[in-house]
Amino acid sequence: MMKTSVQVSFRMDEDVKRQAETIFDELGMNMTTAFNVFAKAVIRTGGMPFKMKVDSFYNAENQRELARRIELYESGATKGQQIEITPEELESYANG
């Protein structure tokens, strides 16, 4: 039985497309081949073939803390003070 090819179209930012094509070209493939490889990896793994996660820096708690510290700074409440953060605090912000 002969496999039937179908055309799939979607929109993508022009710059993203150009950058991706440059990398695919270096790998010796075109956009079609690259997306076929991706689709087959999705099928093989039963999901995305790579880990997806949100950058924890942008979570609501970190953004509230950043806004609080900016407000303290802008109000002059910290004038002459050095704001310190412990390595543990940095780690907790980084890990959400």
Side-chain angles (χ1 to χ4, degrees):
M1 180 183 223
M2 194 164 129
K3 292 185 180 184
T4 304
S5 291
V6 296
Q7 183 171 343
V8 177
S9 70
F10 52 90
R11 296 200 172 278
M12 171 184 294
D13 180 85
E14 184 177 350
D15 191 47
V16 170
K17 179 182 181 280
R18 183 184 50 74
Q19 290 178 54
E21 285 177 324
T22 299
I23 293 168
F24 297 151
D25 185 54
E26 290 177 20
L27 295 170
M29 64 179 81
N30 60 26
M31 185 77 75
T32 299
T33 301
F35 277 89
N36 275 303
V37 169
F38 171 73
K40 289 177 183 179
V42 168
I43 293 165
R44 185 177 58 256
T45 62
M48 290 303 232
F50 46 81
K51 186 174 182 178
M52 293 179 60
K53 68 178 195 170
V54 174
D55 185 344
S56 61
F57 177 79
Y58 295 101
N59 71 32
E61 181 182 349
N62 284 353
Q63 294 302 300
R64 282 191 298 275
E65 178 64 15
L66 180 58
R68 184 186 73 79
R69 290 181 186 221
I70 289 171
E71 186 176 319
L72 284 172
Y73 174 78
E74 288 178 345
S75 72
T78 59
K79 189 168 183 138
Q81 297 178 20
Q82 183 174 355
I83 299 175
E84 295 183 17
I85 187 165
T86 67
E88 292 78 18
E89 287 177 303
L90 283 173
E91 184 70 26
S92 73
Y93 292 138
N95 295 324

Coordinates of all heavy atoms in Angstrom, one line a residue:
M1 N 0.8 -1.2 0.0 CA 0.0 0.0 0.0 C 0.9 1.2 0.0 O 1.8 1.4 0.8 CB -0.9 0.0 1.2 CG -1.8 1.2 1.3 SD -2.8 1.1 2.8 CE -4.3 1.6 2.2
M2 N 0.6 2.2 -0.9 CA 1.4 3.4 -1.0 C 0.9 4.4 0.0 O -0.3 4.7 0.2 CB 1.2 3.9 -2.4 CG 2.2 5.0 -2.8 SD 2.2 5.2 -4.6 CE 2.0 6.9 -4.7
K3 N 1.8 5.1 0.7 CA 1.5 6.1 1.7 C 1.1 7.4 0.9 O 1.7 7.7 -0.1 CB 2.7 6.4 2.6 CG 3.0 5.2 3.5 CD 4.1 5.6 4.5 CE 4.3 4.4 5.4 NZ 5.3 4.8 6.4
T4 N 0.1 8.1 1.4 CA -0.3 9.3 0.8 C 0.3 10.5 1.6 O 0.2 10.5 2.8 CB -1.8 9.4 0.9 OG1 -2.4 8.3 0.2 CG2 -2.3 10.7 0.2
S5 N 0.9 11.4 0.9 CA 1.4 12.6 1.6 C 0.3 13.7 1.6 O -0.5 13.8 0.6 CB 2.6 13.2 0.8 OG 3.7 12.3 0.9
V6 N 0.3 14.4 2.7 CA -0.7 15.6 2.8 C 0.1 16.8 3.0 O 1.2 16.8 3.6 CB -1.7 15.4 3.9 CG1 -2.6 14.2 3.6 CG2 -1.0 15.2 5.3
Q7 N -0.4 17.9 2.6 CA 0.2 19.2 2.9 C -0.3 19.8 4.2 O -1.5 19.8 4.4 CB -0.1 20.2 1.7 CG 0.6 21.5 1.9 CD 0.5 22.4 0.7 OE1 0.2 22.0 -0.4 NE2 0.8 23.7 0.9
V8 N 0.6 20.3 5.0 CA 0.2 20.9 6.3 C 0.8 22.3 6.2 O 2.0 22.5 5.8 CB 0.9 20.1 7.5 CG1 0.6 20.8 8.8 CG2 0.4 18.7 7.5
S9 N 0.0 23.3 6.6 CA 0.5 24.6 6.6 C 0.2 25.3 8.0 O -0.8 25.0 8.6 CB 0.0 25.5 5.5 OG -1.4 25.7 5.7
F10 N 1.1 26.1 8.4 CA 1.0 26.8 9.7 C 1.8 28.1 9.6 O 2.6 28.3 8.8 CB 1.4 26.0 10.9 CG 2.8 25.4 10.8 CD1 3.9 26.1 11.2 CD2 3.0 24.2 10.2 CE1 5.1 25.6 11.1 CE2 4.2 23.6 10.1 CZ 5.3 24.3 10.6
R11 N 1.5 29.0 10.5 CA 2.1 30.3 10.5 C 3.2 30.3 11.6 O 3.1 29.7 12.6 CB 1.1 31.5 10.8 CG 0.1 31.6 9.7 CD -0.5 33.0 9.8 NE -1.4 33.2 8.7 CZ -1.0 33.5 7.4 NH1 0.3 33.8 7.2 NH2 -1.8 33.7 6.5
M12 N 4.3 31.1 11.3 CA 5.4 31.1 12.2 C 6.1 32.5 12.0 O 6.1 33.1 10.9 CB 6.4 30.0 11.8 CG 7.8 30.0 12.4 SD 8.9 28.7 11.8 CE 8.0 27.3 12.3
D13 N 6.7 33.0 13.0 CA 7.4 34.3 12.9 C 8.5 34.1 11.9 O 9.2 33.1 11.9 CB 8.0 34.6 14.3 CG 8.8 35.9 14.3 OD1 8.2 37.0 14.5 OD2 10.0 35.8 14.1
E14 N 8.6 35.1 11.0 CA 9.6 35.0 9.9 C 11.0 34.8 10.4 O 11.8 34.1 9.8 CB 9.5 36.3 9.1 CG 10.4 36.3 7.9 CD 10.2 37.6 7.0 OE1 9.3 38.4 7.3 OE2 11.1 37.8 6.1
D15 N 11.4 35.5 11.5 CA 12.8 35.4 12.0 C 13.0 34.0 12.6 O 14.1 33.5 12.4 CB 13.0 36.5 13.1 CG 14.5 36.6 13.4 OD1 15.3 36.6 12.5 OD2 14.8 36.6 14.7
V16 N 12.0 33.5 13.3 CA 12.2 32.1 13.8 C 12.3 31.1 12.7 O 13.2 30.3 12.7 CB 10.9 31.7 14.7 CG1 10.9 30.3 15.0 CG2 10.9 32.6 15.9
K17 N 11.6 31.3 11.6 CA 11.6 30.4 10.5 C 13.0 30.5 9.8 O 13.7 29.5 9.6 CB 10.6 30.8 9.4 CG 10.7 29.9 8.2 CD 9.6 30.3 7.1 CE 9.6 29.5 5.9 NZ 10.7 29.9 5.0
R18 N 13.5 31.7 9.7 CA 14.9 31.9 9.0 C 15.9 31.2 9.9 O 16.8 30.5 9.4 CB 15.1 33.4 8.9 CG 16.5 33.7 8.2 CD 16.8 35.2 8.1 NE 16.6 35.8 9.4 CZ 17.5 35.7 10.4 NH1 18.6 35.0 10.3 NH2 17.3 36.4 11.5
Q19 N 15.9 31.4 11.2 CA 16.9 30.9 12.1 C 16.8 29.3 12.1 O 17.9 28.7 12.1 CB 16.7 31.4 13.5 CG 17.1 32.9 13.7 CD 16.9 33.4 15.1 OE1 17.4 32.8 16.0 NE2 16.1 34.4 15.2
A20 N 15.6 28.8 12.1 CA 15.4 27.4 12.1 C 16.0 26.8 10.8 O 16.7 25.7 10.8 CB 14.0 27.0 12.3
E21 N 15.6 27.4 9.7 CA 16.1 26.9 8.4 C 17.6 26.9 8.3 O 18.2 26.0 7.7 CB 15.5 27.8 7.3 CG 14.1 27.5 7.0 CD 13.5 28.4 5.9 OE1 13.9 29.6 5.8 OE2 12.7 27.9 5.1
T22 N 18.2 27.9 8.9 CA 19.7 27.9 8.9 C 20.3 26.7 9.6 O 21.2 26.1 9.2 CB 20.2 29.2 9.6 OG1 19.7 30.3 8.8 CG2 21.7 29.3 9.7
I23 N 19.7 26.4 10.8 CA 20.2 25.3 11.6 C 19.8 24.0 10.8 O 20.7 23.1 10.7 CB 19.5 25.3 13.0 CG1 20.1 26.5 13.8 CG2 19.8 24.0 13.7 CD1 19.4 26.8 15.0
F24 N 18.6 23.8 10.3 CA 18.3 22.6 9.6 C 19.2 22.4 8.4 O 19.6 21.3 8.1 CB 16.8 22.7 9.1 CG 15.8 22.7 10.2 CD1 14.6 23.3 10.0 CD2 16.0 22.2 11.5 CE1 13.6 23.4 11.0 CE2 15.1 22.2 12.5 CZ 13.9 22.8 12.3
D25 N 19.6 23.5 7.7 CA 20.5 23.4 6.6 C 21.8 22.9 7.0 O 22.4 22.0 6.4 CB 20.6 24.8 5.9 CG 21.4 24.7 4.6 OD1 21.1 23.9 3.7 OD2 22.4 25.5 4.6
E26 N 22.3 23.3 8.2 CA 23.6 22.9 8.7 C 23.5 21.4 9.0 O 24.5 20.7 9.0 CB 24.0 23.7 9.9 CG 24.4 25.1 9.6 CD 24.7 25.9 10.8 OE1 25.0 25.3 11.9 OE2 24.7 27.2 10.7
L27 N 22.3 20.9 9.4 CA 22.1 19.5 9.7 C 21.8 18.7 8.4 O 21.6 17.5 8.5 CB 20.9 19.3 10.7 CG 21.2 19.9 12.1 CD1 19.9 19.9 12.9 CD2 22.3 19.2 12.8
G28 N 21.8 19.3 7.3 CA 21.6 18.6 6.0 C 20.1 18.3 5.7 O 19.8 17.3 5.0
M29 N 19.2 19.1 6.2 CA 17.8 18.8 6.0 C 17.0 20.1 5.8 O 17.5 21.2 6.1 CB 17.2 18.0 7.1 CG 17.1 18.7 8.5 SD 16.4 17.8 9.8 CE 17.7 16.7 10.3
N30 N 15.9 20.0 5.2 CA 15.0 21.2 5.0 C 13.9 21.2 6.1 O 13.9 20.3 6.9 CB 14.4 21.2 3.6 CG 13.6 20.0 3.3 OD1 13.0 19.3 4.2 ND2 13.5 19.6 2.0
M31 N 13.1 22.2 6.0 CA 12.0 22.4 7.0 C 11.1 21.2 7.0 O 10.7 20.7 8.1 CB 11.3 23.7 6.7 CG 10.2 24.0 7.8 SD 10.9 24.7 9.3 CE 11.3 26.4 8.8
T32 N 10.7 20.7 5.9 CA 9.8 19.5 5.8 C 10.4 18.3 6.5 O 9.7 17.6 7.3 CB 9.5 19.2 4.3 OG1 8.8 20.3 3.7 CG2 8.6 18.0 4.2
T33 N 11.6 18.0 6.2 CA 12.3 16.8 6.8 C 12.4 17.0 8.3 O 12.1 16.1 9.1 CB 13.7 16.6 6.2 OG1 13.6 16.4 4.8 CG2 14.4 15.4 6.8
A34 N 12.8 18.2 8.7 CA 12.9 18.5 10.2 C 11.6 18.3 10.9 O 11.5 17.7 12.0 CB 13.4 19.9 10.4
F35 N 10.5 18.8 10.3 CA 9.2 18.6 11.0 C 8.7 17.2 10.9 O 8.0 16.7 11.8 CB 8.2 19.7 10.4 CG 8.3 21.0 11.1 CD1 9.2 21.9 10.6 CD2 7.7 21.3 12.3 CE1 9.4 23.1 11.2 CE2 7.9 22.5 13.0 CZ 8.8 23.4 12.4
N36 N 9.0 16.5 9.9 CA 8.7 15.0 9.8 C 9.5 14.3 11.0 O 8.9 13.4 11.6 CB 9.0 14.4 8.5 CG 7.9 14.6 7.5 OD1 6.7 14.2 7.8 ND2 8.2 15.2 6.4
V37 N 10.7 14.6 11.2 CA 11.5 14.0 12.2 C 10.9 14.3 13.6 O 10.7 13.5 14.4 CB 13.0 14.5 12.2 CG1 13.7 14.2 13.5 CG2 13.7 14.0 11.0
F38 N 10.5 15.6 13.8 CA 9.8 16.0 15.0 C 8.5 15.2 15.2 O 8.2 14.7 16.3 CB 9.5 17.5 15.0 CG 8.6 18.0 16.1 CD1 9.1 18.1 17.4 CD2 7.3 18.3 15.9 CE1 8.4 18.5 18.4 CE2 6.5 18.8 16.9 CZ 7.0 18.9 18.2
A39 N 7.6 15.2 14.2 CA 6.4 14.5 14.3 C 6.6 13.0 14.6 O 5.8 12.4 15.5 CB 5.6 14.6 13.0
K40 N 7.5 12.4 14.0 CA 7.8 10.9 14.3 C 8.3 10.8 15.8 O 8.0 9.8 16.4 CB 8.8 10.4 13.3 CG 8.2 10.2 12.0 CD 9.2 9.7 10.9 CE 8.5 9.6 9.6 NZ 9.4 9.2 8.5
A41 N 9.1 11.7 16.3 CA 9.6 11.7 17.6 C 8.4 11.9 18.6 O 8.3 11.2 19.7 CB 10.6 12.8 17.9
V42 N 7.4 12.7 18.3 CA 6.2 12.9 19.1 C 5.5 11.5 19.2 O 5.0 11.1 20.2 CB 5.3 14.0 18.5 CG1 3.9 14.0 19.2 CG2 6.0 15.4 18.7
I43 N 5.3 10.9 18.0 CA 4.6 9.6 18.0 C 5.4 8.6 18.8 O 4.8 7.8 19.6 CB 4.4 9.2 16.5 CG1 3.5 10.1 15.8 CG2 3.9 7.7 16.4 CD1 3.5 10.0 14.3
R44 N 6.7 8.5 18.6 CA 7.5 7.5 19.3 C 7.5 7.7 20.8 O 7.4 6.7 21.5 CB 8.9 7.6 18.7 CG 9.9 6.5 19.3 CD 11.3 6.6 18.7 NE 11.9 7.9 18.9 CZ 12.1 8.8 18.0 NH1 11.7 8.6 16.7 NH2 12.7 9.9 18.2
T45 N 7.5 8.9 21.3 CA 7.6 9.2 22.7 C 6.2 9.3 23.3 O 6.1 9.3 24.6 CB 8.4 10.4 23.0 OG1 7.8 11.6 22.4 CG2 9.8 10.3 22.5
G46 N 5.2 9.5 22.5 CA 3.8 9.6 23.0 C 3.6 11.0 23.6 O 2.8 11.2 24.5
G47 N 4.4 12.0 23.2 CA 4.3 13.3 23.7 C 5.4 14.2 23.1 O 6.1 13.8 22.1
M48 N 5.6 15.3 23.7 CA 6.7 16.1 23.2 C 8.0 15.4 23.5 O 8.3 14.8 24.5 CB 6.7 17.5 24.0 CG 5.6 18.4 23.6 SD 5.6 18.7 21.9 CE 5.5 20.4 21.8
P49 N 8.9 15.4 22.5 CA 10.2 14.7 22.6 C 11.3 15.4 23.4 O 12.4 15.1 23.3 CB 10.6 14.5 21.2 CG 10.0 15.7 20.4 CD 8.7 16.0 21.1
F50 N 10.8 16.4 24.2 CA 11.8 17.2 25.0 C 11.0 17.7 26.2 O 9.8 17.8 26.2 CB 12.4 18.3 24.2 CG 11.5 19.1 23.4 CD1 10.7 20.1 24.0 CD2 11.3 18.9 22.1 CE1 9.8 20.9 23.3 CE2 10.4 19.6 21.3 CZ 9.7 20.6 21.9
K51 N 11.7 18.0 27.3 CA 11.1 18.5 28.5 C 10.6 19.9 28.3 O 11.3 20.8 27.8 CB 12.1 18.4 29.6 CG 11.5 18.8 31.0 CD 12.5 18.6 32.1 CE 11.9 18.9 33.4 NZ 12.9 18.6 34.5
M52 N 9.4 20.2 28.6 CA 8.8 21.6 28.5 C 8.5 22.1 29.9 O 7.9 21.4 30.7 CB 7.6 21.6 27.7 CG 7.8 21.3 26.2 SD 6.3 21.3 25.3 CE 5.7 22.9 25.5
K53 N 9.0 23.3 30.2 CA 8.7 23.9 31.5 C 8.7 25.4 31.4 O 9.3 25.9 30.5 CB 9.6 23.4 32.6 CG 11.0 23.8 32.5 CD 11.8 23.3 33.7 CE 13.1 24.1 33.8 NZ 13.8 23.8 35.0
V54 N 8.0 26.0 32.3 CA 7.9 27.5 32.4 C 9.1 27.9 33.2 O 9.5 27.3 34.2 CB 6.6 27.9 33.1 CG1 6.6 29.4 33.3 CG2 5.4 27.5 32.2
D55 N 9.8 29.0 32.8 CA 10.9 29.6 33.5 C 10.3 30.1 34.9 O 9.5 31.0 34.9 CB 11.5 30.7 32.7 CG 12.8 31.3 33.4 OD1 13.0 31.0 34.6 OD2 13.5 32.0 32.7
S56 N 10.8 29.5 36.0 CA 10.2 29.8 37.3 C 10.5 31.3 37.7 O 9.8 31.8 38.5 CB 10.8 28.9 38.4 OG 12.2 29.0 38.4
F57 N 11.4 31.9 37.0 CA 11.7 33.3 37.3 C 10.5 34.2 37.1 O 10.2 35.1 37.8 CB 12.8 33.9 36.5 CG 13.1 35.4 36.7 CD1 13.8 35.8 37.8 CD2 12.6 36.3 35.9 CE1 14.0 37.1 38.1 CE2 12.8 37.7 36.1 CZ 13.5 38.1 37.2
Y58 N 9.6 33.8 36.2 CA 8.5 34.6 35.8 C 7.2 34.2 36.5 O 6.2 34.7 36.2 CB 8.3 34.5 34.3 CG 9.4 35.1 33.5 CD1 10.4 34.4 32.9 CD2 9.5 36.5 33.4 CE1 11.4 34.9 32.2 CE2 10.6 37.1 32.8 CZ 11.5 36.3 32.2 OH 12.6 36.9 31.5
N59 N 7.3 33.3 37.6 CA 6.1 33.0 38.3 C 5.6 34.1 39.1 O 6.3 35.1 39.4 CB 6.3 31.7 39.1 CG 7.2 31.9 40.3 OD1 7.2 33.0 40.9 ND2 7.9 30.8 40.7
A60 N 4.3 34.1 39.5 CA 3.7 35.2 40.2 C 4.4 35.6 41.5 O 4.5 36.8 41.7 CB 2.2 34.9 40.4
E61 N 4.8 34.7 42.2 CA 5.5 35.0 43.5 C 6.8 35.8 43.3 O 7.0 36.8 43.9 CB 5.8 33.7 44.3 CG 6.4 34.0 45.6 CD 6.8 32.7 46.4 OE1 6.3 31.6 46.0 OE2 7.5 32.8 47.4
N62 N 7.6 35.3 42.3 CA 8.8 36.0 42.0 C 8.6 37.4 41.5 O 9.3 38.4 41.8 CB 9.7 35.3 41.1 CG 10.4 34.1 41.7 OD1 10.3 33.9 42.9 ND2 11.0 33.3 40.8
Q63 N 7.6 37.6 40.7 CA 7.2 38.9 40.1 C 6.7 39.8 41.2 O 7.1 41.0 41.2 CB 6.2 38.8 39.0 CG 6.8 38.0 37.8 CD 8.0 38.7 37.2 OE1 8.0 39.8 36.8 NE2 9.1 38.0 37.2
R64 N 6.0 39.3 42.2 CA 5.5 40.2 43.3 C 6.7 40.6 44.1 O 6.8 41.8 44.5 CB 4.5 39.4 44.2 CG 3.1 39.3 43.6 CD 2.1 38.8 44.7 NE 2.4 37.4 45.1 CZ 2.1 36.3 44.5 NH1 1.3 36.4 43.4 NH2 2.4 35.1 45.0
E65 N 7.7 39.7 44.4 CA 8.8 40.1 45.2 C 9.7 41.1 44.4 O 10.2 42.0 45.0 CB 9.7 38.8 45.5 CG 10.9 39.1 46.3 CD 10.7 39.6 47.7 OE1 9.6 39.6 48.2 OE2 11.7 40.1 48.2
L66 N 9.8 40.9 43.1 CA 10.6 41.9 42.3 C 9.9 43.2 42.4 O 10.6 44.3 42.6 CB 10.7 41.4 40.9 CG 11.5 42.3 39.9 CD1 12.9 42.5 40.4 CD2 11.5 41.7 38.5
A67 N 8.6 43.3 42.2 CA 7.9 44.5 42.3 C 8.0 45.2 43.7 O 8.2 46.4 43.8 CB 6.4 44.3 42.0
R68 N 8.0 44.4 44.7 CA 8.1 44.9 46.1 C 9.5 45.5 46.2 O 9.6 46.6 46.8 CB 8.0 43.8 47.1 CG 8.0 44.2 48.6 CD 8.0 43.1 49.5 NE 9.2 42.3 49.6 CZ 10.3 42.7 50.2 NH1 10.3 43.8 50.9 NH2 11.4 42.0 50.2
R69 N 10.5 44.9 45.8 CA 11.9 45.4 45.9 C 12.1 46.6 45.1 O 12.8 47.6 45.5 CB 12.9 44.3 45.6 CG 13.0 43.2 46.6 CD 14.0 42.2 46.3 NE 13.9 41.1 47.3 CZ 14.9 40.5 47.8 NH1 16.2 40.8 47.5 NH2 14.8 39.5 48.7
I70 N 11.5 46.7 43.9 CA 11.6 47.9 43.0 C 10.9 49.0 43.7 O 11.4 50.2 43.7 CB 11.0 47.6 41.6 CG1 11.9 46.6 40.9 CG2 10.8 48.9 40.9 CD1 11.3 46.1 39.6
E71 N 9.8 48.8 44.3 CA 9.0 49.8 45.0 C 9.8 50.4 46.2 O 9.9 51.6 46.4 CB 7.7 49.3 45.5 CG 6.8 50.3 46.1 CD 5.5 49.8 46.5 OE1 4.9 49.0 45.8 OE2 5.0 50.2 47.6
L72 N 10.5 49.5 46.9 CA 11.3 49.9 48.1 C 12.5 50.8 47.5 O 12.8 51.9 48.1 CB 11.9 48.7 48.8 CG 11.0 48.0 49.7 CD1 11.6 46.7 50.3 CD2 10.6 48.9 50.9
Y73 N 13.1 50.4 46.5 CA 14.2 51.1 45.9 C 13.7 52.5 45.4 O 14.4 53.5 45.7 CB 14.8 50.3 44.7 CG 15.9 51.1 44.0 CD1 17.2 51.2 44.5 CD2 15.6 51.7 42.8 CE1 18.1 51.9 43.8 CE2 16.6 52.4 42.1 CZ 17.8 52.5 42.6 OH 18.8 53.2 42.0
E74 N 12.7 52.5 44.6 CA 12.2 53.8 44.1 C 11.7 54.7 45.1 O 11.7 55.9 44.9 CB 11.1 53.5 43.0 CG 11.7 52.9 41.7 CD 10.7 52.5 40.7 OE1 9.5 52.5 41.0 OE2 11.1 52.3 39.5
S75 N 11.1 54.2 46.2 CA 10.6 55.1 47.3 C 11.7 55.7 48.1 O 11.5 56.6 48.9 CB 9.7 54.3 48.2 OG 10.4 53.4 49.0
G76 N 13.0 55.2 47.9 CA 14.1 55.7 48.7 C 14.2 55.0 50.0 O 15.1 55.3 50.8
A77 N 13.4 54.0 50.3 CA 13.4 53.3 51.6 C 14.7 52.5 51.8 O 15.1 52.2 52.9 CB 12.2 52.3 51.7
T78 N 15.4 52.2 50.7 CA 16.6 51.5 50.8 C 17.9 52.3 50.6 O 19.0 51.8 50.5 CB 16.6 50.3 49.7 OG1 16.5 50.9 48.4 CG2 15.5 49.3 50.0
K79 N 17.7 53.6 50.5 CA 18.8 54.5 50.2 C 19.9 54.4 51.3 O 19.6 54.4 52.5 CB 18.3 56.0 50.2 CG 19.4 56.9 49.7 CD 18.8 58.3 49.4 CE 19.9 59.1 48.8 NZ 19.5 59.9 47.7
G80 N 21.1 54.1 50.8 CA 22.2 54.0 51.7 C 22.3 52.6 52.3 O 23.2 52.2 53.0
Q81 N 21.3 51.7 52.0 CA 21.3 50.3 52.4 C 21.8 49.4 51.3 O 21.5 49.7 50.1 CB 20.0 49.9 52.9 CG 19.4 50.6 54.1 CD 18.0 50.1 54.4 OE1 17.6 49.0 54.0 NE2 17.2 51.0 55.1
Q82 N 22.4 48.4 51.7 CA 22.8 47.4 50.7 C 21.7 46.3 50.8 O 21.5 45.8 51.9 CB 24.2 46.8 51.0 CG 24.6 45.8 49.9 CD 26.0 45.4 50.1 OE1 26.7 45.9 51.0 NE2 26.5 44.4 49.3
I83 N 21.1 46.0 49.7 CA 20.1 44.9 49.7 C 20.9 43.6 49.4 O 21.6 43.5 48.5 CB 19.1 45.1 48.6 CG1 18.3 46.4 48.8 CG2 18.1 43.9 48.5 CD1 17.4 46.8 47.7
E84 N 20.7 42.7 50.3 CA 21.4 41.4 50.3 C 20.4 40.3 50.0 O 19.2 40.4 50.4 CB 22.1 41.1 51.5 CG 23.3 42.1 51.8 CD 24.1 41.8 53.0 OE1 24.0 40.7 53.5 OE2 24.8 42.7 53.5
I85 N 20.9 39.3 49.3 CA 20.0 38.1 49.1 C 21.0 36.9 49.3 O 22.1 36.9 48.9 CB 19.4 38.1 47.7 CG1 18.5 36.9 47.5 CG2 20.5 38.1 46.6 CD1 17.6 37.1 46.3
T86 N 20.5 35.9 50.0 CA 21.3 34.8 50.3 C 21.3 33.8 49.1 O 20.4 33.8 48.3 CB 20.7 34.0 51.5 OG1 19.4 33.5 51.2 CG2 20.6 34.9 52.7
P87 N 22.3 33.0 49.1 CA 22.4 31.9 48.0 C 21.1 31.0 48.0 O 20.6 30.6 47.0 CB 23.6 31.1 48.3 CG 24.5 32.1 49.1 CD 23.5 32.9 49.9
E88 N 20.6 30.8 49.2 CA 19.4 30.0 49.4 C 18.2 30.7 48.7 O 17.4 30.0 48.1 CB 19.1 29.6 50.8 CG 20.1 28.7 51.5 CD 21.4 29.4 51.9 OE1 21.4 30.7 52.0 OE2 22.4 28.7 52.1
E89 N 18.1 32.0 48.9 CA 17.0 32.7 48.3 C 17.1 32.7 46.8 O 16.1 32.5 46.1 CB 17.0 34.2 48.8 CG 16.5 34.4 50.2 CD 16.6 35.8 50.6 OE1 17.7 36.4 50.6 OE2 15.5 36.4 51.0
L90 N 18.3 32.9 46.3 CA 18.6 32.8 44.8 C 18.1 31.5 44.3 O 17.5 31.4 43.3 CB 20.0 33.1 44.5 CG 20.5 34.6 44.6 CD1 22.0 34.6 44.4 CD2 19.8 35.4 43.5
E91 N 18.5 30.4 45.0 CA 18.2 29.1 44.6 C 16.7 28.9 44.6 O 16.1 28.3 43.6 CB 18.9 28.0 45.5 CG 18.6 26.6 45.1 CD 19.4 26.3 43.8 OE1 20.4 26.9 43.5 OE2 19.0 25.3 43.1
S92 N 16.0 29.4 45.6 CA 14.5 29.2 45.6 C 13.9 30.0 44.5 O 12.9 29.5 44.0 CB 14.0 29.6 47.0 OG 14.0 31.0 47.2
Y93 N 14.4 31.2 44.2 CA 13.8 31.9 43.1 C 14.0 31.2 41.8 O 13.2 31.1 40.9 CB 14.4 33.3 43.0 CG 14.0 34.2 44.1 CD1 14.9 35.1 44.7 CD2 12.7 34.2 44.6 CE1 14.6 35.9 45.8 CE2 12.3 35.1 45.7 CZ 13.3 35.9 46.3 OH 12.9 36.7 47.3
A94 N 15.2 30.6 41.6 CA 15.6 29.9 40.4 C 14.7 28.7 40.2 O 14.4 28.3 39.1 CB 17.1 29.6 40.4
N95 N 14.4 28.0 41.3 CA 13.7 26.8 41.2 C 12.2 26.9 41.4 O 11.4 25.9 41.4 CB 14.2 25.7 42.2 CG 15.6 25.4 41.9 OD1 16.0 25.3 40.7 ND2 16.4 25.2 42.9
G96 N 11.7 28.1 41.6 CA 10.3 28.4 41.8 C 9.8 27.9 43.1 O 8.8 27.5 43.4

